[in-house]
Amino acid sequence: MPMNELLISDGESTTVLPEDAAEKARQVPDPTTYHILCMVPKAEEEYESGLIKAGQTQHYEELLSPVLFVVKMGPDAYADKARFPNGPSCKVGDFVLVRPNTSTRLKIHGQEFRIINDDSVEATIQDPRGVKRA
């Protein structure tokens, strides 16, 4: 395997990323301690009526989105049994609800990510479509 490729494994299967995707994957940070790395889902481009949303509207919907997608968890996330007696509130691959502005924001290659604390998760959600800030 060339040095500029990256292997991604989930324990069951392994994927080799091409050079450009591998470079992007290396730039995604690994959360430390009790932090969780989440991705902000892209805002829908149209209203339910079919009208196209203004770019500024999409920006604010993403900026203030209460819905995040869990990408990585720090090694100490949910490790404190006294604070989390029922175990973790979420896992990698879950959609979670959080309060807007409760995170460290960063953008990597146009995709917005957030780093949140493990106790910032208020709920998990099966289908985030249609969930908006009130």
Side-chain angles (χ1 to χ4, degrees):
M1 179 176 79
M3 291 294 290
N4 55 2
E5 291 183 343
L6 179 68
L7 284 175
I8 304 285
S9 177
D10 63 5
E12 296 176 16
S13 63
T14 301
T15 303
V16 178
L17 295 178
E19 181 179 348
D20 58 339
E23 184 58 34
K24 288 180 182 180
R26 285 186 192 95
Q27 294 174 359
V28 175
D30 291 320
T32 59
T33 62
Y34 54 84
H35 295 101
I36 301 172
L37 177 69
C38 299
M39 186 174 72
V40 178
K42 292 283 185 193
E44 294 184 23
E45 295 181 6
E46 296 181 354
Y47 291 104
E48 290 178 15
S49 66
L51 291 173
I52 305 294
K53 293 179 183 176
Q56 192 69 20
T57 301
Q58 287 180 320
H59 171 73
Y60 283 123
E61 284 183 6
E62 289 177 7
L63 177 69
L64 298 172
S65 175
V67 177
L68 300 175
F69 180 76
V70 178
V71 177
K72 294 181 181 181
M73 299 180 93
D76 299 327
Y78 301 112
D80 187 341
K81 301 298 182 202
R83 291 181 63 215
F84 305 105
N86 295 320
S89 298
C90 64
K91 62 187 180 314
V92 172
D94 282 351
F95 285 98
V96 296
L97 295 177
V98 298
R99 292 174 183 240
N101 300 321
T102 186
S103 61
T104 301
R105 298 176 51 219
L106 57 141
K107 258 192 178 178
I108 303 172
H109 297 288
Q111 176 63 54
E112 185 157 346
F113 290 86
R114 308 267 173 90
I115 297 176
I116 63 172
N117 296 339
D118 57 2
D119 61 356
S120 296
V121 174
E122 295 187 355
T124 58
I125 186 168
Q126 294 295 316
D127 186 357
R129 293 175 290 192
V131 176
K132 295 181 179 28
R133 183 172 172 255

